[in-house]
Structure formats: structure tokens, C-alpha cells
Amino acid sequence: MSYRKERRVAELAVQRAALLTQRVFHEKAKGTLSKDDKSPVTIGDFGAQALIIHAIRRSFPTDEIVGEEEASSLRENKALADQIWRLVNSTKLEDEAAEEQIGGPIKSQREMLQAIDEGQSPGGSRGRTWALDPIDGTLGFLRGGQYAVCLALIVDGHIKVGVLACPNLPVDDSAPLSADVANESGEGRGVLFSAVLGSGAKSRPLSRGALEKSESIHMKDVPNITHATFCESVEAGHSSHSDQAGIAKKLGITGQSVRMDSQAKYGSIARGAGDLYLRLPVRADYQEKIWDHAAGDLIVREAGGHVTDVEGRRLDFSLGRTLKENKGVIAAPKAVHEHVLDAVRSVLDSK
Ligand code: AMP
Ligand code: MG
């Protein structure tokens, strides 16, 4: 299957949601709440989830959706719900045909809250399920740095389509990653990555209307691993900076790591701006969420990479809302992945 319609709807839906997040990004007050797990959520997260689910529902009404957010806190906070509704109600693609393809506007605040709550699917190994992270890297978003709007279609447990909008990455695929990428935003930025299983990965500039022209993207060859650039989370609470430094040392990598929030890391290595993405667990009991990895996993694999956990197993998206059989993530070009994994094993075994 070509998944042409799915890719198109996903790209446009993510592009529209990215417009909403960019508006919030430039506001000082982002309507931040603290969730039960103490992580922050903003009006941007809720608004983007509503717009994307609305788009999916219009084209694929029977598909399941695993979305990160839910609306219960908004039902108790009318002021915040009103604020999100004003944003959602005034965000649309500037190209009428494109806006029409993703269902046009949401009709009412009630419909918006319902849409947000349609992301509660348990996921699993059967049927068609969309995995949605409306703002991945919320901490980066709040800091003024990297974040991503992420959507993937999983069919019978396998990712078929992946789309990532990274509003603060440089448009230029060949721009080298700077150590400051975590704090960069502004002119010349905004990329939309996408991939369909078996059809390769692409990037294009994010636009405010119809989709821009795309280019194929590929991971870089790494003839000498000691010169590789590796990406990791900004947050030491999300992955072990010390284990990652140990692995880099073992590989003979002398350059500094590039720290950035969100699946922008997957997009950056897929287009050859960086080479490796290391995510070593900090807590044995943490289960990675499928929406934090699904789009990035496919985009990297379609660009010539291999993505596994720290034991060399492919990420298993068929087990529900979390990757319960995996620990950590190691993403690298196919040709060097095994070599990187040897270094991972050696560092973990010596602990
Ligand atoms: P990153 O931007 O790479 O730091 O990843 C952001 C994601 O990390 C968030 O969307 C969270 O779902 C996830 N996260 C939260 N706590 C942890 C943890 N203890 N280990 C790994 N990932 C986490
Ligand atoms: Mg996330």
C-alpha cells in the first residue's frame, strides 16, 4: 500500500497544528498546567491535539488514536478551555484546498474537547492506530528551543507513516548541528519530515498553507566513527548523560554531544545533520511512550538507519501505549549500528 492519502492528511494536519504551536511559542504566557506525573502541558499541546484528531477523524473515522493528552483538566477549567478554543478557532492553513483536506474548522468548543478525548485508545497489535504527540519536548518548547509535533500511523503493530514538524530546526538539511541548537529559533527555520514504509524519507520547509516541495533525505555515511556527532536529550532525567558520555568515549568520539529536546533528534540524524542518537535509560521501571518514538523511528529507518533499544531489539509498537519490551533507544546508520551497540553493551556491562 502506498498510504498516499494518509501521508498527505498527516503532513497537512501536523503543519496546521505546528502553526498553532508557533503562536503559543511566541506568547509569554503559555497556559501551563502540571499533569499527574508532574510533567508540564500547555494550551499549545491541547490545541494541537484537537486540530490533529479532528483532521484524522474527517478522513479515517474508524481509526484508533493514541494521543498523549486528555481533556479532563480543561472541563474543570473554563478559562483555560476558552483560551484554547480561541486559538483552535483561529488557526487554519492559508491554502483553502489544503485546509479542506483536513476537515476545515472544528465547529464548537464542545467538539474540540471531544476531539482531545478521542486520543485514549489502548493501542495494540491489531488494526490501524495513530500515535500522536502534539508537542514533544514540551520542556524545550517552554525554554524557547527545540520541540516537535509528531504523528505516526501504526497498522497491525508496524509503523507505516511517520510525520514530524520541527518548527525550530533550520530549513537547510545540510546545516551542521551547532551545540546551541537547543536554544535556537527564528528566521530560516521550520522543517516537516515524513516517511512511508518502503518509500523513503523526505523533508520540506514548513509552510503556512499548502505543502512545499520535498527533498529526499538520507543519513550520512560514517567512515570514521570517532568523527561522529551524537545527539541526546537536554534533560538528564530522560536519558543518562553519563552513560552516553561513556559510550562516546568508548567509540573514540571527541566532539561534544548535541543536546536537544524532542524527536528533532531523529529528524536531525535522518537528514545527516548528526549521526547517532543515544537514549540510555535513567530508571529501570520507565516505559517509553509510543508517541515519543513512532514517527522518528520510521523516518530514521527510511533514511538508511537502524533503530533499536540498548539490547539491539527493534522498538515494538504493538504492545499498547508504551514500549514495554524495550529499554532506551540507539539510532545509527545501518553500517555502524552494531559497532555502536557493542560500545553500549560494554558500558552497561561494566556498571
Ligand atoms: P526528550 O525531549 O528527548 O528529553 O524526550 C521528551 C520525552 O521524554 C517526553 O515526551 C516524555 O514522555 C519522556 N520522558 C519523561 N520521563 C522520562 C524518563 N524518565 N525516561 C525517558 N523518557 C522520559
Ligand atoms: Mg513527548
Side-chain angles (χ1 to χ4, degrees):
M1 261 189 86
S2 69
Y3 293 101
R4 271 176 73 115
K5 183 176 176 195
E6 286 82 352
R7 179 185 218 157
R8 170 60 53 114
V9 168
E11 285 170 330
L12 289 173
V14 165
Q15 183 156 276
R16 178 172 65 181
L19 286 179
L20 181 145
T21 65
Q22 283 168 303
R23 291 173 62 193
V24 180
F25 185 84
H26 294 291
E27 296 273 324
K28 230 192 178 129
K30 296 185 171 63
T32 311
L33 293 181
S34 188
K35 292 197 280 190
D36 293 346
D37 66 359
K38 305 278 187 290
S39 66
V41 57
T42 73
I43 52 175
D45 299 64
F46 291 117
Q49 174 147 329
L51 283 176
I52 291 175
I53 292 184
H54 174 67
I56 296 171
R57 276 281 161 267
R58 277 302 171 98
S59 288
F60 311 109
T62 60
D63 288 1
E64 296 277 307
I65 301 167
V66 169
E68 178 168 12
E69 310 306 341
E70 45 96 16
S72 57
S73 53
L74 303 181
R75 294 183 198 281
E76 291 155 18
N77 188 338
K78 176 91 172 76
L80 203 63
D82 286 347
Q83 210 184 341
I84 297 164
W85 171 239
R86 281 195 295 275
L87 260 176
V88 164
N89 193 30
S90 57
T91 304
K92 59 174 196 214
L93 291 174
E94 287 168 5
D95 181 274
E96 258 177 53
E99 175 70 14
E100 186 52 37
Q101 279 184 63
I102 49 173
I106 297 178
K107 301 255 160 14
S108 64
Q109 188 173 141
R110 207 176 114 252
E111 229 179 77
M112 174 188 84
L113 295 175
Q114 272 168 358
I116 295 171
D117 271 340
E118 283 183 42
Q120 294 306 300
S121 167
S125 62
R126 289 291 178 83
R128 289 168 50 106
T129 304
W130 295 86
L132 164 62
D133 194 341
I135 295 185
D136 180 34
T138 307
L139 292 164
F141 181 74
L142 292 170
R143 262 193 253 102
Q146 297 302 323
Y147 72 97
V149 180
C150 318
L151 182 63
L153 174 63
I154 301 170
V155 180
D156 297 336
H158 299 285
I159 309 161
K160 304 294 185 180
V161 181
V163 175
L164 284 181
C166 301
N168 291 336
L169 278 185
V171 170
D172 181 2
D173 285 329
S174 58
L177 283 178
S178 77
D180 276 339
V181 71
N183 307 313
E184 290 173 345
S185 62
E187 282 298 291
R189 288 168 194 279
V191 198
L192 186 66
F193 296 100
S194 72
V196 167
L197 185 68
S199 304
K202 306 193 286 199
S203 81
R204 46 162 58 94
L206 260 181
S207 99
R208 307 186 59 83
L211 295 175
E212 295 274 342
K213 195 171 151 293
S214 66
E215 301 278 348
S216 287
I217 53 167
H218 306 279
M219 292 190 86
K220 233 180 15 232
D221 284 336
V222 184
N224 181 347
I225 194 88
T226 66
H227 296 152
T229 302
F230 87 89
C231 303
E232 62 182 352
S233 294
V234 174
E235 296 297 323
H238 293 172
S239 69
S240 168
H241 287 170
S242 57
D243 286 350
Q244 284 142 207
I247 293 158
K249 189 162 171 224
K250 187 91 198 162
L251 290 168
I253 296 174
T254 48
Q256 257 207 328
S257 71
V258 175
R259 289 185 178 163
M260 68 174 108
D261 300 277
S262 86
Q263 291 184 59
K265 294 185 277 299
Y266 283 110
S268 295
I269 67 168
R271 62 175 173 166
D275 302 300
L276 314 174
Y277 169 18
L278 305 177
R279 189 181 189 87
L280 277 286
V282 276
R283 276 177 27 201
D285 62 344
Y286 183 77
Q287 297 185 355
E288 296 281 351
K289 309 295 187 276
I290 64 169
W291 56 79
D292 281 334
H293 301 282
D297 173 279
L298 184 67
I299 289 165
V300 164
R301 287 190 291 116
E302 285 298 319
H306 192 46
V307 184
T308 69
D309 69 2
V310 295
E311 284 162 19
R313 290 181 299 220
R314 283 273 302 276
L315 305 186
D316 187 346
F317 292 88
S318 74
L319 302 172
R321 291 174 68 91
T322 66
L323 298 169
K324 49 172 159 281
E325 294 297 333
N326 296 114
K327 288 290 166 225
V329 177
I330 308 297
K334 269 192 199 129
V336 299
H337 188 277
E338 193 56 38
H339 183 52
V340 175
L341 207 53
D342 284 343
V344 171
R345 291 192 180 111
S346 140
V347 166
L348 293 183
D349 288 349
S350 67
K351 286 213 318 180

